[in-house]
Amino acid sequence: MLKAEEKTQQVSLTAFDLSLGIQTSFDAEILASGEFTLPAKLLGDIVAKLPPGDLTLEVDQEDKDGEIATLTASSGRYEIRGIGAEEFPELPMVEDGKTLSLSIESLGDGLKGSLFATSPDETKQVLTGVHLTLLTDCLEFAATDGHRLAVVRTDSPEDTLGEAEPIELTIPARALRELEKLLFLLQGSKSATESIELYFDTTQIVFQGGEHRLTTRTLEGMYPSYRKLIPQQFQRTVTIDRKLLMTSVERIAVLADQKNNIVKFNLDSENQLLSLAVEAADVGSGCESISAQISGEDLEIGFNVKYLLEGLKALQSSEVQIQLNTNLSPVIITPLGGDQITYLIMPVQIRK
Amino acid sequence: MLKAEEKTQQVSLTAFDLSLGIQTSFDAEILASGEFTLPAKLLGDIVAKLPPGDLTLEVDQEDKDGEIATLTASSGRYEIRGIGAEEFPELPMVEDGKTLSLSIESLGDGLKGSLFATSPDETKQVLTGVHLTLLTDCLEFAATDGHRLAVVRTDSPEDTLGEAEPIELTIPARALRELEKLLFLLQGSKSATESIELYFDTTQIVFQGGEHRLTTRTLEGMYPSYRKLIPQQFQRTVTIDRKLLMTSVERIAVLADQKNNIVKFNLDSENQLLSLAVEAADVGSGCESISAQISGEDLEIGFNVKYLLEGLKALQSSEVQIQLNTNLSPVIITPLGGDQITYLIMPVQIRK
């Protein structure tokens, strides 16, 4: 829906699928107020291909068909059939909810470190979202698909309203991916917007950044109590260059069995070497070794290549620490220095 | 199939699917001669991901399983299961055929101007290939899918053997697309190879360029006699900037009906304007005008957007000449200056 206001000389664009809504506005020369809805993809495709320069949009509401918008640019003249704005639903607002203000950077870090670990399976309900918890000294983002878990802690919000009850929300990943694009846009533009305001109640959340607004339903249901899954003590620790490990896993993954997609780690503390091995029946096998700082007894442990790689990509530090107990208990990967990310991955049992 | 020859210190790689075959060779340090076949994609994937540096390939033919190749690089050690080379078919050779030598540039120009117009429909037999004819003073490449026709004339081959009978061949587009990649490789490398040798008889053609060889079956069957389709006289001519026309068609094509995908040209000789219009029922419409040199009476004529755009992309001159008779007869588009390309497109009847 396009809405032009003569008084403010602003155009606002709104898109809404009844779950996720996005609204943005910008300055324009408005000769007469009005509103109208147009097919979004078609309008976007045409405008993207126009040569640089001004364009004029006119809707003749006196027309007996009444439903044609005329777009005039230096290159030519285009007519697009739309419908009146009367039936376009209002974007939901949060009236008596709570408010938080987050820096674009904190919000971006929280999303980057968690979004990838959400479940793509729509039947998994709350697991398709990122769970946000406001703790006393930080904001925590958590995501899990049942096989791995990513937890990010970022700086405390700027204006915590000192709520008595803890704030917890689960937000659909689909909406947060759009929010990531919006943050990217705000960081790239020369706008003075440095923070995002969050308005929310138990069913709805609105993100407002400058002239941009994103609103989404929250996901209902209890989020798993993931904190108790994270071990506090470890028998073994590996400190290793993140990129070396990542490229090595990527390389030998070519030879991993397509079916179970396992890479085997061998911790060799005497030689301070981490060996990686893969094997695909009837196809081949591969092994590589990387020097690492290893403490604790030697161990052979298997991981799913995909979950391992996605975590290593998200961490973004130059070195990572891998903390382990046995080859059947959860493993924690954390970046050395930098962001506060905890990535938990369950090992895969290796059949002999 | 990998073949290592101790005497020449060369490795050759051969791939062949019984219709299309490609062979290439390069220098290597060979400790013992031998040959072996390995899964092509797997080998390519691993080698592409290896860090720069030498790699060693060993096949232990005394092994009782006898079928494992071991690849050792600085990053690690990889084993790939293959099979012996005994069953690998020989690449077909042309023994008593004819020979031509073509410059890489001529061959490249011929392919670029014709390949896109071949039919992707495998049931269309000869139309899935490019038809090559050796005329007295040039080599002609032709391709048509029944809706449009592209004809390119390039320089005469370097060594024409003065054959009495004309040489005509139809070569599968699939093989020629691989040949294009090979030409690109040869142009990019510092090799001294400047020409491609063609060896052919009625069923098989071999392209040899430096250390690279590509061999393919030819397509059997009569190629349509396309030359008589090209009109020699025209009632109307439009000379126009190619890029302006192309971007204009691309832009308004967004509003063209998805079903018949027609753009309508209007020749206005009084104002020296070419107007383009599209219309999609229930969606919208668009029109643009471009100044052009127009001779002949005004005309309204429709084209399929896809065929028009593909032709305009292939021509690559700054201006093109469009030659027309009526709105039902074939239209010719040619580049002004540069390559000798004739692009014929059939107009689409416009229903009122």
Side-chain angles (χ1 to χ4, degrees):
Chain A
M1 183 186 59
L2 290 92
K3 186 172 184 171
E5 260 193 276
E6 200 183 338
K7 209 184 279 177
T8 57
Q9 295 286 300
Q10 283 234 321
V11 173
S12 76
L13 304 178
T14 308
F16 185 36
D17 68 4
L18 297 180
S19 165
L20 171 62
I22 298 179
Q23 187 172 74
T24 188
S25 59
F26 51 88
D27 295 333
E29 192 183 333
I30 314 284
L31 300 183
S33 296
E35 48 187 48
F36 197 62
T37 62
L38 285 171
K41 186 173 179 317
L42 192 63
L43 181 65
D45 284 351
I46 292 176
V47 173
K49 288 198 160 94
L50 290 180
D54 288 347
L55 61 90
T56 307
L57 191 76
E58 271 174 293
V59 180
D60 184 357
Q61 297 189 308
E62 298 300 306
D63 193 311
K64 73 176 193 298
D65 289 330
E67 298 180 343
I68 300 277
T70 305
L71 217 145
T72 315
S74 63
S75 56
R77 189 182 152 90
Y78 318 90
E79 297 191 333
I80 310 177
R81 189 167 290 268
I83 48 171
E86 307 81 36
E87 288 170 45
F88 199 87
E90 284 278 319
L91 278 200
M93 283 302 299
V94 173
E95 297 291 344
D96 300 313
K98 296 167 186 172
T99 309
L100 281 184
S101 178
L102 285 180
S103 76
I104 290 182
E105 203 188 337
S106 296
L107 188 53
D109 287 347
L111 295 179
K112 192 166 16 178
S114 61
L115 256 175
F116 73 95
T118 56
S119 174
D121 178 353
E122 283 303 322
T123 65
K124 293 270 178 94
Q125 314 240 355
V126 287
L127 298 192
T128 63
V130 170
H131 191 69
L132 228 70
T133 313
L134 181 63
L135 301 169
T136 50
D137 57 345
C138 69
L139 188 66
E140 189 170 275
F141 295 74
T144 177
D145 61 2
H147 302 287
R148 40 55 188 283
L149 163 71
V151 181
V152 189
R153 294 189 163 191
T154 71
D155 293 344
S156 198
E158 284 156 25
D159 304 300
T160 309
L161 292 187
E163 299 287 339
E165 60 214 298
I167 295 176
E168 294 201 44
L169 283 173
T170 310
I171 309 170
R174 187 171 80 92
L176 294 175
R177 287 201 186 92
E178 295 301 325
L179 182 64
E180 264 197 327
K181 290 184 205 163
L182 179 59
L183 297 181
F184 189 75
L185 203 81
L186 286 171
Q187 282 179 317
S189 75
K190 286 167 197 149
S191 84
T193 311
E194 283 175 2
S195 62
I196 304 285
E197 314 300 314
L198 278 63
Y199 307 94
F200 55 96
D201 56 26
T202 50
T203 61
Q204 192 73 28
I205 181 163
V206 177
F207 296 87
Q208 178 89 40
E211 303 294 321
H212 307 280
R213 173 181 300 171
L214 186 146
T215 175
T216 177
R217 278 199 200 145
T218 57
L219 292 169
E220 285 170 51
M222 276 288 284
Y223 200 79
S225 40
Y226 56 86
R227 274 184 216 101
K228 65 183 185 196
L229 297 176
I230 304 174
Q232 296 304 315
Q233 291 197 318
F234 298 94
Q235 295 159 20
R236 296 166 172 93
T237 303
V238 178
T239 306
I240 194 166
D241 185 277
R242 186 180 65 93
K243 279 208 175 137
L244 277 186
L245 178 58
M246 208 164 72
T247 52
S248 176
V249 174
E250 279 174 334
R251 197 158 42 226
I252 63 171
V254 172
L255 278 161
D257 204 310
Q258 298 297 313
K259 229 192 311 185
N260 48 26
N261 205 20
I262 294 175
V263 55
K264 205 165 63 185
F265 277 26
N266 247 303
L267 278 60
D268 175 355
S269 63
E270 191 188 341
N271 297 306
Q272 294 286 296
L273 272 183
L274 176 71
S275 297
L276 285 71
V278 295
E279 203 157 327
D282 305 328
V283 175
S285 62
C287 62
E288 299 201 1
S289 294
I290 310 170
S291 54
Q293 293 166 46
I294 299 178
S295 68
E297 282 173 43
D298 291 357
L299 180 75
E300 187 175 275
I301 184 169
F303 296 106
N304 177 297
V305 168
K306 175 175 178 286
Y307 297 144
L308 190 65
L309 274 181
E310 287 186 355
L312 289 172
K313 271 180 198 156
L315 296 188
Q316 296 200 307
S317 60
S318 76
E319 286 188 306
V320 292
Q321 193 167 59
I322 309 174
Q323 293 170 290
L324 319 88
N325 286 307
T326 72
N327 58 11
L328 293 175
S329 53
V331 172
I332 296 294
I333 310 180
T334 49
L336 271 194
D339 302 327
Q340 282 193 65
I341 307 186
T342 305
Y343 187 62
L344 181 151
I345 176 171
M346 286 305 296
V348 183
Q349 204 171 344
I350 303 164
R351 277 155 219 238
K352 298 288 171 182
Chain B
M1 182 185 61
L2 290 91
K3 186 171 184 171
E5 260 194 276
E6 198 183 339
K7 208 184 277 176
T8 58
Q9 295 286 299
Q10 283 234 321
V11 174
S12 75
L13 303 179
T14 309
F16 185 37
D17 67 5
L18 296 179
S19 166
L20 170 62
I22 297 178
Q23 188 171 74
T24 188
S25 59
F26 51 88
D27 295 332
E29 191 183 333
I30 314 283
L31 300 183
S33 296
E35 48 188 47
F36 197 62
T37 62
L38 285 172
K41 184 172 181 318
L42 192 63
L43 181 64
D45 284 351
I46 292 176
V47 172
K49 288 201 160 91
L50 289 179
D54 288 349
L55 61 90
T56 307
L57 192 75
E58 272 175 290
V59 180
D60 183 357
Q61 296 190 309
E62 297 302 307
D63 193 313
K64 74 176 194 300
D65 289 329
E67 295 180 343
I68 300 277
T70 305
L71 218 144
T72 314
S74 63
S75 56
R77 189 182 153 90
Y78 318 89
E79 297 192 334
I80 310 177
R81 187 168 293 267
I83 49 172
E86 307 80 36
E87 289 169 46
F88 199 87
E90 284 277 321
L91 277 200
M93 283 301 299
V94 174
E95 297 291 345
D96 300 314
K98 297 167 185 173
T99 308
L100 281 183
S101 178
L102 285 180
S103 76
I104 290 182
E105 203 188 337
S106 297
L107 189 53
D109 287 347
L111 295 179
K112 192 165 17 181
S114 62
L115 255 175
F116 73 95
T118 56
S119 174
D121 178 353
E122 282 304 323
T123 65
K124 293 272 178 91
Q125 314 239 355
V126 287
L127 299 192
T128 63
V130 170
H131 190 70
L132 230 69
T133 314
L134 182 64
L135 302 169
T136 49
D137 57 346
C138 69
L139 188 66
E140 189 169 275
F141 296 73
T144 176
D145 61 3
H147 303 286
R148 37 61 187 281
L149 163 73
V151 181
V152 189
R153 293 189 164 190
T154 71
D155 293 344
S156 198
E158 283 156 24
D159 304 301
T160 308
L161 291 187
E163 298 287 337
E165 61 215 296
I167 295 176
E168 295 201 44
L169 283 174
T170 310
I171 309 170
R174 187 170 79 93
L176 293 176
R177 287 201 186 91
E178 294 301 325
L179 182 63
E180 264 197 326
K181 291 184 205 164
L182 180 59
L183 297 181
F184 189 75
L185 203 82
L186 287 170
Q187 281 178 316
S189 75
K190 285 166 196 149
S191 84
T193 312
E194 282 175 4
S195 62
I196 303 285
E197 314 301 315
L198 280 62
Y199 307 95
F200 55 94
D201 55 28
T202 50
T203 62
Q204 192 75 26
I205 181 162
V206 176
F207 297 87
Q208 178 90 39
E211 304 293 324
H212 307 279
R213 173 182 300 171
L214 185 147
T215 174
T216 177
R217 278 199 200 144
T218 57
L219 291 169
E220 284 171 52
M222 276 288 284
Y223 200 79
S225 39
Y226 56 87
R227 271 183 220 102
K228 66 182 183 197
L229 297 176
I230 304 173
Q232 296 305 314
Q233 291 196 319
F234 298 95
Q235 296 159 20
R236 295 164 174 92
T237 302
V238 177
T239 306
I240 193 164
D241 185 277
R242 185 180 64 92
K243 278 206 177 141
L244 277 186
L245 179 58
M246 208 164 72
T247 52
S248 176
V249 174
E250 279 173 333
R251 198 159 40 227
I252 63 170
V254 172
L255 278 161
D257 204 311
Q258 297 298 315
K259 226 190 319 184
N260 50 26
N261 206 18
I262 293 175
V263 56
K264 205 164 63 184
F265 277 25
N266 246 302
L267 278 59
D268 174 355
S269 64
E270 192 187 339
N271 297 305
Q272 295 286 294
L273 272 183
L274 176 69
S275 296
L276 285 72
V278 295
E279 204 157 328
D282 304 327
V283 176
S285 63
C287 64
E288 299 200 1
S289 293
I290 310 169
S291 55
Q293 293 167 45
I294 300 179
S295 68
E297 283 174 43
D298 291 356
L299 181 74
E300 185 175 275
I301 185 169
F303 295 106
N304 177 299
V305 168
K306 176 177 179 283
Y307 297 144
L308 189 65
L309 275 182
E310 286 185 357
L312 289 172
K313 270 180 201 157
L315 296 188
Q316 297 200 308
S317 60
S318 75
E319 287 189 306
V320 293
Q321 194 167 61
I322 309 175
Q323 293 170 292
L324 318 89
N325 285 309
T326 72
N327 59 11
L328 293 175
S329 53
V331 172
I332 296 294
I333 309 180
T334 49
L336 270 195
D339 302 327
Q340 283 193 64
I341 307 186
T342 305
Y343 187 62
L344 181 150
I345 176 171
M346 286 305 296
V348 184
Q349 204 170 346
I350 303 165
R351 276 155 222 236
K352 299 288 172 184

